[in-house]
Amino acid sequence: EVQLVESGGGLVQPGGSLRLSCAVSRSTSDDTAIGWFRQAPGKEREGISCISSFDDSTYYADSMKGRIAISSDNARNTVYLQMNSLKPDDTGVYFCAATLLGLCTTGWDGAPFAFWGKGTLVTVSS
């Protein structure tokens, strides 16, 4: 099993930055892909980034490519999502999720993510 806890959300002005954290607790040492998703009010959940321990591959959604960077700190069992140049449209609840299957390639967000955090709210507003 995998337990996930997000943190780092909050209120930020347009053009500002946030660094989200996903603390990962695993019951085993199985390889895991960690995905970041977001859900804006009135919109469907969107996969925005992924990092996999299978092959260290990463993926970024076109909607945020160039403005975000995903990384992992194995010593701290934490996955980070650095977000820059934030826009009001980036407002939403950001979730991290884990799957024991799949690589971070095109279509990764269709993998069976069985483990989810409760989310952290990001509000981009002046």
Side-chain angles (χ1 to χ4, degrees):
E1 294 186 345
V2 183
Q3 292 183 323
L4 308 166
V5 180
E6 305 95 336
S7 62
L11 176 64
V12 63
Q13 294 184 341
S17 300
L18 284 175
R19 189 184 192 186
L20 305 183
S21 298
C22 176
V24 183
S25 178
R26 299 181 177 91
S27 60
T28 68
S29 59
D30 293 335
D31 286 329
T32 306
I34 303 294
W36 280 100
F37 300 79
R38 69 179 182 182
Q39 187 165 25
K43 296 184 178 180
E44 294 185 353
R45 188 174 61 199
E46 175 190 18
I48 57 174
S49 190
C50 178
I51 187 168
S52 175
S53 66
F54 290 96
D55 61 354
D56 297 322
S57 60
T58 59
Y59 191 89
Y60 299 99
D62 290 339
S63 60
M64 300 193 77
K65 188 177 297 183
R67 299 190 292 121
I68 59 173
I70 192 169
S71 62
S72 64
D73 186 337
N74 292 331
R76 297 184 177 181
N77 296 314
T78 302
V79 174
Y80 301 98
L81 185 69
Q82 178 69 44
M83 305 193 297
N84 303 315
S85 301
L86 288 168
K87 307 173 182 178
D89 287 346
D90 294 322
T91 294
V93 179
Y94 285 68
F95 303 87
C96 61
T99 179
L100 301 182
L101 300 172
L103 302 175
C104 294
T105 60
T106 300
W108 65 270
D109 54 348
F113 285 86
F115 310 101
W116 291 80
K118 295 182 179 180
T120 184
L121 177 63
V122 172
T123 302
V124 184
S125 176
S126 60

